[in-house]
Amino acid sequence: MLSAFIARPIVELKQRDKSKIESILAYGDRLLVGLSHGSLRIYRVNEPIDEPHAHNAITTDRQTSLSSPRQNPVDLMREEEKFSKHKIEQLAVIKEANLLVSLSNGLVSTHDLQTYELQETLLKTKGAIAFAVTSNIVKDPSTGVPSIVSRLAVAVKRRVILWSWHDSELEPDTAEHTLVTGVKTLTWATGTKLVAGLTSSYVLVDVATSVVTDIVGPGSIGGAPGQDGGRFGGVGVSTINYMGLGGSAPKPLATQIGHGQLLLAKDINTLFIDSEGRSLGRRQIPWAVAPEAIGYSYPFLLALQATKGTLEIRNPETLTLLQTISLPNASQLHVSQPNISLAHAGKGFLVLSERCVWRMGALDYDSQIDTLAERGRLDEAISLLGMLEDALLKDKEGRLREIKMLKAQHLFDLHRYRESLDLFTEVSAPPERVIRLFPPIIAGHLSAQAADVHDVENEEGSQADDLASESQSQGETASKDAKLNHTSTDESSRMGTQEVHRESGEHFRKMHEGATLEGKDLKAATAELRPFLVQARTRMQKYLNPDGTLQDTRGKHSLVGSNVQEAQELLLAHAPGSEEERRQQLLETAKLVDTTLFRAYMFASPSLAGPLFRLDNFCDPDVVKEKLIETGRYNDLVDFYYGKKLHEQALELLQRFGKQEQGDEIASQLAGPQRTVSYLQSLPAEMIDLILRFADWPLDVDPQLGMEVFLADSENAETLPRQRVLDFLSSKDKALAEQYLKHIIDELNDTTPSFHQKLVDIYVQGLKEGTFPDELSQQRWEEHTLNFLKSSRYYQPYKALQMLPADNPKFYEARATVLGRMGQHSQALEIYVFKLQDPDKAEDYCNQVQLAQTSSAITPKPGQRSTATDLEAKTTSIYHNLLSLYLSPPPPHKPQWGPALQILAKHGARMPASSTLDLIPEVLPIKELESYFRGRIRSANTAINESRVTAALRSTLVFSEEAKLRLGSGIPGGNGGRNRHVLITEDRVCGVCYKRFGGSAIKVLPK
């Protein structure tokens, strides 16, 4: 049982006093007691010096009370003997109007709050049964000025009469509401809504709109016709006696329980409603006997059982009975009105009987929560923490999180793994605390189950004994306190304490029994652990980079300020320290989380371990290596090595298994060079040493596959240091170097001269060696050599020419190409004409040179024409050189008339006429030059025709522009032309300065 309140008698009537206590009212430091003969006693309440806050404080108070006199809880200030002629049934205060309201002999009267003199007896209230008072702050809808509105509702038979005060001024008009049956009780739900308990039901009265709403509930609360919702139908338990049915009908009770909710109770039936009268759908309170009175003292629900003389303290959310206090002959409850004092500020409430008034002192909330947690009432502790405000507790969020983790651990011990891990996830529990619950196969050395079982049993048994002895001493102290305050604890209270002791012992035993996980339980727990660890990994990524450094410490994830607590939630120890120490703790936690997740995958679903390695992780390499080698999962081990950047170990493993025979079943996935090549392709250029070291054996086994490391269409391959790769491949095989050079030059457009020169050297050296398997291979090699010599512009022609033998026919064409690259066209043509004796190749060479010269010719300036004579003057024709070699060859060569005439026929127009005719010998018949002259004439006619067409086009353009100028807007797109006119009148003003034109000069702006 919980010790939330302690009863202390503050007012006791002496034996010779024949009066009885009928009503009380507490406000401020005053306590008003209404007696049965009409007197009103006014007491001043003294705050007790020994206010209890915990059980140990009670013992200290008892010891000190023997040596020092105690202060009286109340002092009698005065007594108004003629306050009323009849018993005072009810008291209330309207503080804003300085009024005291009383109910006596069926009449409601108002008194001065200071002098207690009668001001007015409300005659309309004759026959009144009860009344209710409320005060609220209301803003004026038109001005928005707040004012205090107080209302007094009086129940007179079937009527509810209403008085109102605005800022202490009584309104002259009263309102009346007539209900279907007699009104027994009144309770304000809001400032304008009133719950009226009738003889057979409840209704909600809106005093602002006069709308009456029936409240439908179970049993005697007031159900629909024919509904049988109560546990005993519509018959009240209090009306049943041993002779049969009879007795008085139960009184309808109602109380506010905060957050706009109310509790209605009649007999043993209850109903929770909101301020609109709608049912909240909550279960009923399990009362065995109908309560005499109910109330709400933040945050507990109160029920006074007059027949038993006990006060029940319950949790309003779980409806669990937390405490039972014995109060003999108690008949009424008095809880301060929420509009007078804050719900949590009143540290207690009052209970009265005919002869005594008890003050219920509330214990410290932190102590209450600690007691519930120690006794295993974790759900109650969580519920209580949720209801209490932050200001009333020390570190509310931290305590709530800790208790939820205790509950999650308890659920884990009961083999309710899903609920346990969901709760651990909800509170973001430190991963280390959760992992400890698992055996070493999952948690490793961190497992709490690795400890000696006997030591655990002894330790837990001693804890249980200590808790039991402590609880017993607290029970004895509480019993002595009750005797000192003239209260006693009944048998049910003692039995409840013993039950709590048994529950705490069982809790420790269950923790020990659930300590061993194996078989299906271990698999089920591991399956629920994985989502928790995945979420913990996600939270770690907010603070740690994949390399173990902190995220940007100047940004939002810095471990300073408010984010320190969020980061510490991941840690088991919250010891303050520097940011570097927190980083180390986070790194260790991340390593623990990922390693445990790996163990969980390997235990339950080994196939999921691979995807974990492909992500950035902090797994312990030693643990992973041991597990994967043990299970033969070498492929996953390679992925793990890659993720941890242990590339050398991974490549050594791939090399070892790659060189094995295919028949090895264990490493069949790693056999051959394919996996090694793929791994090397994924490495960055910074690891060139490692790449070249382990690319050696794939090139030996499968050169074509091995070259994919350097020729792949990927960023890593393209950014490799090309000179180092070239040196490595050259040492292996020149064919591999030639393949790599062609790739970087043709595919990657590398213009480095050394690479182009190296490829030329390889081509020339291959031709010199002549080690070709067949003639076709040699022809292809020669073709590649010539094409590269013609296309490349970045090799050094002088070095290439020195490498080419001058007397070897295989190199004649190559030398001609290089000489052409050097600008030695005459020497190149001599090779084509005299050594190769191939007029077609000579003509092709001239065509290429002519095309290059024409494209680089000087472009004429605008307005300047370029004539054929200019071109002849500025451009030296390569065809002239070829023609001179054909017609005037150096000795001992003879003239070649046939090729010369073909050159004249095809390209005669491109050569200067005077020099060309000088080359033609006189013995050559004119008839043979017919094609030459025809070509020249056609070229001249083409130039003339082109000039005529150009002149015609220009005249058309001039005509079009002249038409636009003359006709103006008549032409689409015209600007008005010379026919545009502007009319100037005496009233016309300038559009810029707004002056009259008059006789001044005029300038027309364009439209």
Side-chain angles (χ1 to χ4, degrees):
M1 285 290 182
L2 175 68
S3 296
F5 296 96
I6 293 181
R8 295 178 181 274
I10 58 175
V11 175
E12 292 183 285
L13 299 183
K14 298 180 180 180
Q15 293 183 356
R16 64 176 178 270
D17 193 345
K18 302 303 180 182
S19 59
K20 298 178 182 179
I21 300 176
E22 296 291 342
S23 61
I24 59 174
L25 173 64
Y27 67 94
D29 62 344
R30 293 293 185 266
L31 174 62
L32 308 183
V33 179
L35 303 179
S36 57
H37 55 74
S39 297
L40 179 67
R41 293 182 182 176
I42 299 93
Y43 294 90
R44 181 181 61 199
V45 180
N46 301 318
E47 287 293 332
I49 298 177
D50 54 347
E51 182 68 24
H53 294 287
H55 293 291
N56 53 3
I58 299 173
T59 306
T60 305
D61 294 338
R62 298 299 170 267
Q63 295 174 355
T64 56
S65 62
L66 299 176
S67 58
S68 60
R70 299 182 58 186
Q71 183 180 11
N72 293 329
V74 295
D75 294 327
L76 179 62
M77 303 295 294
R78 55 190 292 191
E79 180 176 357
E80 294 290 337
E81 296 182 353
K82 297 182 180 180
F83 186 81
S84 176
K85 296 180 180 180
H86 304 276
K87 64 178 181 180
I88 305 173
E89 302 175 16
Q90 188 178 353
L91 293 172
V93 64
I94 303 177
K95 189 175 182 180
E96 293 73 23
N98 198 31
L99 292 178
L100 175 64
V101 184
S102 66
L103 172 61
S104 180
N105 193 28
L107 286 172
V108 175
S109 304
T110 58
H111 307 262
D112 185 270
L113 189 58
Q114 304 298 328
T115 63
Y116 307 104
E117 294 181 357
L118 178 64
Q119 287 190 350
E120 182 182 1
T121 299
L122 305 179
L123 299 179
K124 288 186 178 182
T125 63
K126 186 175 182 180
I129 300 175
F131 67 84
V133 175
T134 184
S135 296
N136 300 275
I137 298 177
V138 179
K139 286 187 177 181
D140 187 273
S142 59
T143 62
V145 177
S147 61
I148 299 177
V149 178
S150 302
R151 291 186 174 92
L152 169 65
V154 182
V156 182
K157 298 181 182 180
R158 294 171 51 196
R159 297 178 301 156
V160 176
I161 308 175
L162 190 69
W163 283 266
S164 299
W165 286 263
H166 285 263
D167 291 332
S168 73
E169 295 294 333
L170 177 64
E171 291 187 353
D173 298 331
T174 60
E176 292 189 12
H177 304 276
T178 303
L179 306 179
V180 293
T181 60
V183 182
K184 300 299 182 183
T185 59
L186 292 175
T187 305
W188 286 101
T190 64
T192 59
K193 294 181 180 180
L194 187 69
V195 175
L198 308 182
T199 305
S200 58
S201 63
Y202 287 86
V203 295
L204 182 68
V205 181
D206 191 332
V207 299
T209 61
S210 301
V211 176
V212 179
T213 305
D214 293 330
I215 299 176
V216 180
S220 57
I221 295 248
Q227 180 179 356
D228 185 15
R231 287 171 284 176
F232 294 95
V235 181
V237 175
S238 61
T239 64
I240 303 177
N241 55 24
Y242 70 95
M243 294 294 294
L245 298 177
S248 59
K251 182 180 179 182
L253 306 176
T255 183
Q256 295 186 24
I257 56 175
H259 305 292
Q261 300 180 9
L262 291 92
L263 170 63
L264 309 182
K266 191 172 184 181
D267 196 20
I268 61 172
N269 296 301
T270 58
L271 178 66
F272 290 91
I273 64 172
D274 59 11
S275 58
E276 300 295 331
R278 296 184 295 264
S279 174
L280 299 177
R282 299 178 57 184
R283 66 186 181 91
Q284 298 191 48
I285 300 176
W287 279 326
V289 180
E292 183 69 20
I294 61 174
Y296 178 76
S297 179
Y298 181 85
F300 298 106
L301 184 62
L302 314 174
L304 183 60
Q305 303 285 356
T307 56
K308 291 184 177 182
T310 58
L311 177 65
E312 293 183 356
I313 312 297
R314 293 181 180 269
N315 186 327
E317 290 185 352
T318 64
L319 307 182
T320 304
L321 180 62
L322 300 178
Q323 184 181 9
T324 302
I325 303 175
S326 177
L327 300 172
N329 303 320
S331 59
Q332 294 185 40
L333 287 175
H334 177 75
V335 183
S336 298
Q337 301 178 27
N339 58 341
I340 295 178
S341 61
L342 293 177
H344 60 269
K347 295 184 178 180
F349 55 95
L350 301 177
V351 182
L352 66 146
S353 66
E354 293 181 352
R355 307 291 299 174
C356 183
V357 177
W358 290 275
R359 178 177 182 177
M360 310 305 296
L363 291 178
D364 182 60
Y365 292 128
D366 292 307
S367 301
Q368 296 181 32
I369 293 171
D370 291 340
T371 302
L372 289 172
E374 290 172 0
R375 297 179 181 179
R377 308 289 294 274
L378 301 178
D379 288 327
E380 300 300 329
I382 293 172
S383 176
L384 184 58
L385 280 168
M387 292 185 292
L388 292 173
E389 298 180 6
D390 297 352
L392 303 178
L393 296 168
K394 299 176 182 178
D395 189 18
K396 174 183 174 179
E397 292 185 0
R399 294 170 67 88
L400 181 60
R401 179 171 180 261
E402 178 64 27
I403 293 177
K404 284 187 176 181
M405 286 191 288
L406 290 176
K407 179 184 177 181
Q409 184 172 347
H410 179 63
L411 292 173
F412 190 91
D413 297 334
L414 297 178
H415 305 290
R416 296 163 63 178
Y417 305 116
R418 174 167 295 184
E419 299 176 36
S420 173
L421 270 300
D422 287 347
L423 190 54
F424 275 128
T425 303
E426 177 188 341
V427 299
S428 301
E432 182 178 351
R433 182 166 182 171
V434 180
I435 296 171
R436 285 182 184 274
L437 303 175
F438 287 81
I441 191 174
I442 301 296
H445 67 279
L446 189 65
S447 174
Q449 299 178 19
D452 189 283
V453 177
H454 298 289
D455 294 341
V456 174
E457 289 180 349
N458 295 335
E459 182 180 356
E460 293 175 348
S462 62
Q463 290 178 356
D465 295 339
D466 294 341
L467 180 59
S469 61
E470 181 181 357
S471 301
Q472 184 177 0
S473 63
Q474 292 176 356
E476 294 173 359
T477 303
S479 176
K480 293 179 182 178
D481 179 64
K483 291 180 181 179
L484 289 173
N485 292 281
H486 304 282
T487 59
S488 61
T489 305
D490 58 354
E491 186 65 21
S492 63
S493 173
R494 291 192 297 271
M495 292 297 293
T497 305
Q498 295 174 4
E499 182 180 358
V500 171
H501 294 168
R502 288 195 300 270
E503 289 178 355
S504 62
E506 290 175 1
H507 176 65
F508 285 110
R509 285 194 295 272
K510 287 180 179 179
M511 288 179 62
H512 171 63
E513 290 173 359
T516 303
L517 279 177
E518 56 186 4
K520 294 182 178 180
D521 287 339
L522 181 56
K523 286 188 177 181
T526 304
E528 302 300 333
L529 175 66
R530 289 183 301 183
F532 171 81
L533 295 176
V534 170
Q535 187 184 47
R537 291 187 78 250
T538 304
R539 295 170 59 207
M540 285 289 181
Q541 294 173 1
K542 293 173 57 179
Y543 305 102
L544 287 178
N545 290 316
D547 57 356
T549 59
L550 289 176
Q551 295 272 4
D552 185 7
T553 56
R554 296 167 295 178
K556 61 181 179 179
H557 297 320
S558 174
L559 296 185
V560 295
S562 60
N563 287 323
V564 172
Q565 184 174 0
E566 296 180 10
Q568 285 183 345
E569 289 181 355
L570 295 165
L571 307 176
L572 186 64
H574 293 180
S578 63
E579 186 165 314
E580 178 62 23
E581 292 176 354
R582 297 193 191 100
R583 188 193 70 82
Q584 290 292 340
Q585 292 181 359
L586 284 173
L587 191 59
E588 291 297 326
T589 304
K591 183 177 180 181
L592 173 64
V593 169
D594 287 351
T595 305
T596 306
L597 183 59
F598 163 73
R599 289 195 181 103
Y601 281 147
M602 292 301 296
F603 176 76
S605 302
S607 60
L608 297 178
L612 174 64
F613 301 149
R614 297 183 185 98
L615 302 174
D616 296 322
N617 62 83
F618 296 94
C619 293
D620 188 347
D622 296 334
V623 175
V624 174
K625 180 180 179 181
E626 178 183 358
K627 277 285 184 183
L628 293 179
I629 292 179
E630 178 183 347
T631 56
R633 303 182 67 86
Y634 298 103
N635 200 28
D636 291 337
L637 182 58
V638 172
D639 291 339
F640 172 73
Y641 280 148
Y642 179 80
K644 301 300 290 184
K645 294 183 174 55
L646 301 175
H647 303 300
E648 186 173 1
Q649 292 88 326
L651 290 170
E652 289 176 352
L653 182 67
L654 290 172
Q655 182 178 359
R656 178 161 59 91
F657 287 106
K659 292 182 178 181
Q660 292 183 358
E661 297 295 334
Q662 293 287 343
D664 192 350
E665 297 181 358
I666 297 179
S668 60
Q669 298 178 348
L670 306 181
Q674 178 62 48
R675 187 64 196 277
T676 301
V677 171
S678 300
Y679 194 98
L680 291 174
Q681 288 177 340
S682 64
L683 295 181
E686 293 78 9
M687 310 195 71
I688 183 63
D689 294 331
L690 200 64
I691 293 174
L692 297 180
R693 172 184 168 189
F694 286 95
D696 186 71
W697 77 270
L699 289 173
D700 294 338
V701 176
D702 190 344
Q704 184 176 0
L705 179 61
M707 283 299 295
E708 290 298 321
V709 176
F710 312 106
L711 305 182
D713 187 12
S714 63
E715 183 179 358
N716 290 338
E718 294 177 3
T719 56
L720 290 174
R722 295 172 183 175
Q723 186 61 49
R724 295 198 57 184
V725 174
L726 180 61
D727 296 341
F728 169 74
L729 294 176
S730 299
S731 64
K732 295 287 296 182
D733 190 352
K734 292 183 178 180
L736 300 179
E738 183 259 344
Q739 184 180 2
Y740 180 71
L741 285 171
K742 289 178 62 178
H743 171 72
I744 62 175
I745 292 174
D746 297 339
E747 302 295 335
L748 304 182
N749 299 321
D750 194 318
T751 59
T752 304
S754 60
F755 293 154
H756 287 251
Q757 186 62 41
K758 180 66 176 177
L759 185 56
V760 171
D761 296 345
I762 292 176
Y763 280 141
V764 174
Q765 189 66 27
L767 289 176
K768 286 182 178 180
E769 294 176 357
T771 56
F772 299 103
D774 51 28
E775 186 177 356
L776 181 61
S777 300
Q778 181 177 358
Q779 292 179 356
R780 290 180 177 175
W781 189 269
E782 292 177 355
E783 183 179 355
H784 291 163
T785 304
L786 290 175
N787 290 337
F788 183 74
L789 289 175
K790 292 178 181 179
S791 60
S792 176
R793 296 179 177 272
Y794 301 102
Y795 65 90
Q796 300 179 10
Y798 296 99
K799 290 185 178 180
L801 187 62
Q802 292 176 0
M803 295 179 62
L804 296 172
D807 55 351
N808 193 336
K810 294 191 300 183
F811 298 98
Y812 284 165
E813 189 172 358
R815 287 182 60 85
T817 302
V818 175
L819 288 171
R821 290 279 293 109
M822 297 172 62
Q824 304 294 332
H825 301 299
S826 298
Q827 298 181 22
L829 289 175
E830 289 179 359
I831 294 175
Y832 283 115
V833 173
F834 302 120
K835 293 185 177 181
L836 293 177
Q837 297 181 359
D838 192 340
D840 294 336
K841 289 185 178 180
E843 185 180 355
D844 291 340
Y845 178 82
C846 291
N847 291 338
Q848 295 177 5
V849 174
Q850 179 66 22
L851 182 63
Q853 291 177 352
T854 303
S855 61
S856 60
I858 301 175
T859 304
K861 298 180 180 180
Q864 179 182 0
R865 293 185 57 191
S866 177
T867 63
T869 305
D870 295 334
L871 292 177
E872 291 178 1
K874 296 177 182 179
T875 305
T876 302
S877 176
I878 186 66
Y879 300 102
H880 187 276
N881 295 337
L882 179 61
L883 183 63
S884 64
L885 291 176
Y886 282 142
L887 298 178
S888 303
H893 302 288
K894 297 180 180 180
Q896 301 181 24
W897 304 109
L901 292 176
Q902 290 182 359
I903 293 297
L904 287 173
K906 293 180 179 180
H907 308 288
R910 298 177 181 177
M911 295 183 290
S914 58
S915 59
T916 301
L917 294 176
D918 292 340
L919 290 175
I920 298 175
E922 297 179 358
V923 295
L924 184 67
I926 298 298
K927 184 178 180 180
E928 300 293 337
L929 299 176
E930 179 181 358
S931 59
Y932 167 70
F933 288 117
R934 183 174 296 174
R936 294 289 303 185
I937 294 172
R938 286 178 178 174
S939 177
N941 291 337
T942 300
I944 294 174
N945 293 335
E946 181 181 355
S947 62
R948 290 176 180 176
V949 171
T950 303
L953 292 175
R954 290 184 179 276
S955 63
T956 303
L957 180 62
V958 170
F959 179 78
S960 176
E961 294 297 328
E962 183 69 18
K964 290 181 182 179
L965 182 62
R966 292 180 179 275
L967 302 179
S969 58
I971 298 299
N975 56 4
R978 296 173 180 173
N979 292 332
R980 184 182 177 190
H981 62 277
V982 178
L983 180 62
I984 302 298
T985 63
E986 295 180 356
D987 299 331
R988 189 72 179 266
V989 296
C990 176
V992 178
C993 63
Y994 301 103
K995 294 182 180 180
R996 291 180 182 272
F997 286 112
S1000 60
I1002 299 173
K1003 182 177 181 181
V1004 179
L1005 298 176
K1007 292 183 179 179

